[in-house]
Amino acid sequence: MAEESKISDELMERINAFGKAIVESEEYRNLIQCDEELNKNQGAQDLLGEYRMKQLELQRKGFDRKVLNELNDLEEQMKNNETLAKLENSQKALAALFRSSNDLISEKIGQPFAQRLGGCR
């Protein structure tokens, strides 16, 4: 059983401030805006849903050239869909912010932070 760790009030304040800074970041706000745009765009939702269904079909069937070609066609359509392209770019930007934050925390504490190193943990 893992050791239970108690987070000090000071550390909790800093964690909350960090979380607030993320939520207030341009990257996060942009992602939320793009998600709202997706919710208003039925065509983009349908395309994304079709893509996800085709992914599942490929996973169930294993390698299937026809399904793979259909999936590639859908992926191209998604790249050309402005709403979905913006959403993907906003997701990448937020992920980059998280990676940069992780790198800075790792640097400050002198060891890898929030990284899987393999093995049982």
Side-chain angles (χ1 to χ4, degrees):
M1 188 168 172
E3 279 187 42
E4 194 170 317
S5 173
K6 184 175 179 194
I7 298 176
S8 70
D9 291 342
E10 179 185 357
L11 182 56
M12 187 55 78
E13 276 183 45
R14 291 177 185 207
I15 291 169
N16 287 332
F18 179 69
K20 184 178 180 195
I22 293 291
V23 169
E24 292 175 352
S25 71
E26 180 180 344
E27 293 86 350
Y28 184 83
R29 288 191 320 260
N30 191 35
L31 176 68
I32 296 302
Q33 180 182 352
C34 289
D35 191 53
E36 289 170 357
E37 288 177 23
L38 174 63
N39 288 330
K40 295 175 186 174
N41 186 326
Q42 190 60 51
Q45 288 179 45
D46 292 345
L47 185 56
L48 183 58
E50 190 177 350
Y51 179 80
R52 288 177 176 161
M53 292 300 291
K54 204 53 77 172
Q55 281 182 313
L56 289 173
E57 183 179 348
L58 189 63
Q59 288 174 2
R60 281 194 310 269
K61 287 184 173 181
F63 181 79
D64 181 316
R65 175 66 63 194
K66 180 180 180 250
V67 176
L68 184 60
N69 288 338
E70 291 170 353
L71 189 61
N72 288 334
D73 289 343
L74 288 168
E75 191 171 302
E76 189 63 31
Q77 290 176 46
M78 289 173 60
K79 287 179 182 177
N80 293 323
N81 181 288
E82 184 178 353
T83 301
L84 293 174
K86 284 176 154 181
L87 179 63
E88 181 180 13
N89 288 334
S90 69
Q91 290 170 335
K92 287 178 180 178
L94 185 60
L97 176 64
F98 287 144
R99 278 191 304 277
S100 295
S101 298
N102 186 55
D103 290 346
L104 289 170
I105 292 169
S106 295
E107 184 180 305
K108 293 290 182 188
I109 65 174
Q111 61 182 328
F113 176 75
Q115 298 175 9
R116 288 192 156 230
L117 302 174
C120 296
R121 293 212 177 245

